[in-house]
Structure formats: C-alpha cells, structure tokens
Amino acid sequence: CAFVSLEDNSKFPRNFLFGTASSSYQFEGAFLSDGKGLSNWDVFTHKTGTILDGTNGDVAVDHYHRYQEDVDLMKDIGVNSYRLSLSWARILPKGRFGNVNKAGIAYYNRLINALVNRGIEPFVTITHYDIPQELENRYKSWLSSEIQEDFKYYADICFKYFGDRVKYWVTFNEPNVAVICGYRTGVYPPSRCSGSFGNCSYGDSEREPFIAASNIILSHMAAVDVYRTKYQKNQGGKIGIAMNAVWFEPFSNSSEDKLGAERAQSFYMNWFLDPIILGKYPAEMHQILGAELLAFSKYDSEKLKNGLDFIGINHYTSYYAKDCIFSSCEEGKGSSKTEGFALTSAQMNGLTIGEPSALAWLYVHPQGMEKIVTYIKDRYNNIAMFITENGFGTSENSYPTTKDALNDVKRVEYLNGYLDSLAAAIRKGADVRGYFVWSLLDNFEWKHGYSIRFGLHHVDFASLNRTPRMSAFWYKNVIEEHKSQAGNRNGHTQER
Ligand code: GBH
C-alpha cells in the first residue's frame, strides 16, 4: 500500500534530531570574562609547546559574544537541535569551594533561550574535557574520589538552572579519550603519563587511567541519581553519556583476531558503558588486569547499573584490530595489557582501512558507522542512541585559495557516506534518534589549535567572519529532504 512505500522512502524516524555539535572551550573564548575561573585547558594551552600551532582558546570563535549570529546560521541550515557544552569554570569558578557565577548562568540562559525561541532543541553536555583548575590544584581532580562530590554538586546546579528548557543531558564527553589522553599518553591536561607511553614528568600510565575512569563512572552515576530523584519527573528530560566510539575491524577472519577486536572494544568503550549499564567492567578487563585496578568497593558497586537513558556515540573512524596474545606483536604496539593485548591501527601489513585525512587518527570508512551502531545496539539491548558527533577535519594548507576552502567536496563525501551507513543501521532496527555534525564552525581543535578545520562554516580567524561551505548546503538539503519525506508519511505536506 502507498503508506508503506512512503514510509520506506524516509531514511530517518519522524522526530529525528538533526544538529551540529560544539564545546565550550573550543567555541566560547571569553576565557576570563564576567567572572569565569581558570580551567585546566586554559592553564594547559598557556604553557609553551603544548599546542602544535602555539595558539589557545582565549578567543576561539568568540561564540560567547556571537552566539546570536551562530543561532542564525543554524536556522539557515534548518537544524532542529544544537549540541553545546557548559564550561564548569564559568558556572563554578572554584568548583564547590566558591560561589555560583551569576554572569555565567546568565550567558547560558541567553544562549539556551535563543535556541528555544527559534525551535532548536538544546542538547547539553555538562563536561567536555574542561574542568576548573581549582579541582586539579586541590586534589588532583579525577584521581581523587573527592571529585564525585564536586561533579554531583555542579550537575545539580545545571539541572536546577537550565533543566526547565534542556531535555537532553550528556554528563561527559568522551571520558575514554579524556582519561587516555590525560593519564596514559599525557597529551591532554593534566599531562600525566609514564614509561613508553609518553613524555611526562609525573604519572603512571598503567594505573592512573583506571583510577580516573572509576571516578568518572561514579561521578556520572551520582549526577544521574540527582537528576532522577530531584528533577526528571518534573522536567521530563533524558540523560546519557557520549563515548568516543571507534569501529575495530578484525584484521583477519581468525577467531584470535575477532577476539582481539572484541578486547580492543572492551578496553576502549565498554570500559565505561558496561559498568554504567550492566553494572560491571567487561570480563576481559578483569581477566587481564586482575581485580585490583578495577575495584569498586561494595558500597560503590551498588550504585552501578541502568545508569543512563541513551548512549551518545561520537564516531569518526575505524581501525583494524589484531590479536597480541596468541600472535606476537611489536613491543609497545598492542603488547600492553592496558589495551587488552590488541594491536589497533588504520594500517596493517600494507592494507589501509580507508582513505586517510589531514589527521593521523582519522580514516574514511563509512561502513564503520553501521557496524558500531549495530554493535552497541546488540550489546546494550537496543537502548536509545544518538550520534553525538561525526565529522571530517581538513587542513587549510592543502587548499590553494579561500574559494577552494569553501568547496569542501571531501567533507560532503565523508558525511554523506557516514549518514547513509547510519540509515542502514536504522533500517535494520537500531533505535537511533539523532545525528550531530562536528561542527557548525571551524574552531579550536585541541592539540592542533586552529590548523585543523571541522566546520560546515569556514571561519576567518582574523576577522572571525563565518562563511558557509558546500557542506552547509549539503546538510540543509538532507534536512529538507527528510522533512518532506517525514511530512508525506503523515499524509500532509511540509509547511513553508
Ligand atoms: C572529538 O574527539 C572531540 O569530542 C571533539 O572535541 C573534537 O573537536 C572532535 O572529535 C574532532 O577531533 O591529539 O593527536 O594525540 C575525537 C577523538 C581522540 C581524536 C583523541 C584525537 C587525540 C589525538 N579524538 N585524539 S592527538
């Protein structure tokens, strides 16, 4: 019948969220304006040699002052959601050891109201890597269980001030990346690492990531508990976490490599999602690391399980994965127990998993989207999912002129391929409810400063002018097409 065939035309569910994503440190600038405290990223980027192009986020794209213009850009594209993060140090300059910064609250109220007034759903991350430096100085932040109290206090304030308008909460952005980069390789603050993992003056790469992770997991559970007991009933929102999710493709069909890929996933993503959703760390982690590193006290383990309403998936790339227990791997590459004795890499034995990009970590492998979504669906009982980030980074140097910089054919191809692959997963039953492109604008790309660009809009970092790229028009078309199909499906045409 006609109804069914029209429904088959629609690639995404009717109320699907189409948005773009951002984060406070990468977008806002205004790093000490109106009472904001210093964050760990302010302190880190101000040290020489930490950021490849020597820049920092002091100004970034000045979203703090230009948010209205940016909301207009969103409106031009036609998105119905915007993922942003809150700067903890802007709201609580000294964590729970000082006052709420009213000017910080006022800024987020202005931004959130601007979104809501234009029919754009705010999708809010409570912490996207940046935390008040005060917590680092006082008790070494994530290495201390004290931080659970601080995070709970901060999250409560976020729900209290913004929860009347914010219906989607993400506690943490990519906690797996934050602990790996902060405590194993040392490339993000607090720059702790040891041995062959990196070049730091303090740290213990084999132990500290696991300690930091357990404090993040328990902080997440504490915030979810506050939301569920004090706010969720009245405010009616949902709460989740956003993981960096890589698809690990077994390098061969051997059962060893398949198990290797499984271990790679357990030591990367399931490390956080298993305790939060299923109540315990993955079995492979216990077998390889032993109980000590993964110990939740009896009191703490009772707080675990069922700790989210949805999973946020930040997906960009896939790697091959190879077993290093039964086969021998090069020293330092996959031979470590902290990564589950699995070698993961985009290139293996002369094969490359996809087209390389300007970023050493990002390879184009669109099939990975369907595979990772299906993997998460199967492991966690098809809990609701959102693709909280997906995007393609380019280096301006590779463009001869600004005009070419706007002609981002590679980005369009990348996004189109990944979105099609997502549609395939949804068609086969995955409960995915939204998709966010990283990012609306070029912005401060962490270690790479402003030298790597992810924007649907080009930003001239001297004038801060924003100009839409071809990919912005591509996204607008995707959304319009979806609206007309979803409209048809309900028997009425789209309003204009
Ligand atoms: C996401 O991370 C972040 O959530 C977002 O803030 C970021 O802008 C976006 O992707 C694009 O990168 O510094 O060379 O040692 C994606 C996963 C994991 C990629 C950590 C970079 C560190 C590489 N990231 N990785 S390096």
Side-chain angles (χ1 to χ4, degrees), residues 22-23 26 52 83 128-129 173-174 176-178 180-181 185 187-188 244-246 268 314-317 319 359-362 389-393 438-439 443-448 452 454:
S22 71
S23 87
Q26 296 175 278
L52 294 168
R83 177 168 176 245
H128 192 124
Y129 303 162
N173 180 71
E174 297 186 352
N176 49 345
V177 168
I180 289 169
C181 292
T185 59
V187 296
Y188 291 0
N244 185 259
V246 168
Y268 192 66
N314 291 0
H315 179 68
Y316 292 84
T317 197
Y319 300 135
L359 284 149
W361 57 268
L362 203 170
E389 286 179 30
N390 174 236
F392 187 71
W438 184 273
S439 180
N443 62 80
F444 180 77
E445 179 51 30
W446 307 117
K447 291 294 284 183
H448 300 275
I452 293 286
F454 271 89

Side-chain angles (χ1 to χ4, degrees), residues 88-239:
W88 190 343
R90 196 181 290 291
I91 293 174
L92 291 167
K94 302 265 174 211
R96 74 185 200 280
F97 306 97
N99 295 329
V100 174
N101 177 27
K102 289 286 174 246
I105 301 283
Y107 163 63
Y108 291 115
N109 275 333
R110 290 196 295 277
L111 172 55
I112 290 168
N113 290 342
L115 294 167
V116 171
N117 288 338
R118 310 209 59 182
I120 299 172
E121 186 88 59
F123 202 101
V124 177
T125 304
I126 297 174
T127 319
H128 192 124
Y129 303 162
D130 53 333
I131 68 169
Q133 179 65 21
E134 179 77 14
L135 310 183
E136 196 57 54
N137 297 347
R138 276 194 188 242
Y139 54 71
K140 296 199 183 137
S141 70
W142 303 111
L143 292 180
S144 164
S145 57
E146 243 200 88
I147 200 151
Q148 296 169 35
E149 202 51 42
D150 259 287
F151 188 74
K152 181 175 150 189
Y153 179 80
Y154 167 47
D156 195 329
I157 285 170
C158 299
F159 306 141
K160 176 172 148 198
Y161 284 100
F162 311 123
D164 56 334
R165 288 149 292 154
V166 173
K167 302 304 162 196
Y168 295 95
W169 292 103
V170 171
T171 54
F172 287 93
N173 180 71
E174 297 186 352
N176 49 345
V177 168
V179 307
I180 289 169
C181 292
Y183 300 90
R184 183 176 293 151
T185 59
V187 296
Y188 291 0
S191 321
R192 297 178 67 90
C193 63
S194 66
S196 59
F197 287 94
N199 198 6
C200 307
S201 13
Y202 304 97
D204 182 345
S205 293
E206 310 230 349
R207 298 176 47 84
E208 289 183 356
F210 300 100
I211 298 168
S214 72
N215 282 316
I216 290 181
I217 290 163
L218 292 168
S219 297
H220 166 90
M221 295 307 293
V224 168
D225 187 57
V226 168
Y227 190 59
R228 288 184 173 161
T229 54
K230 278 175 77 176
Y231 298 99
Q232 196 163 35
K233 214 172 176 181
N234 292 329
Q235 298 182 346
K238 294 189 188 306
I239 189 163

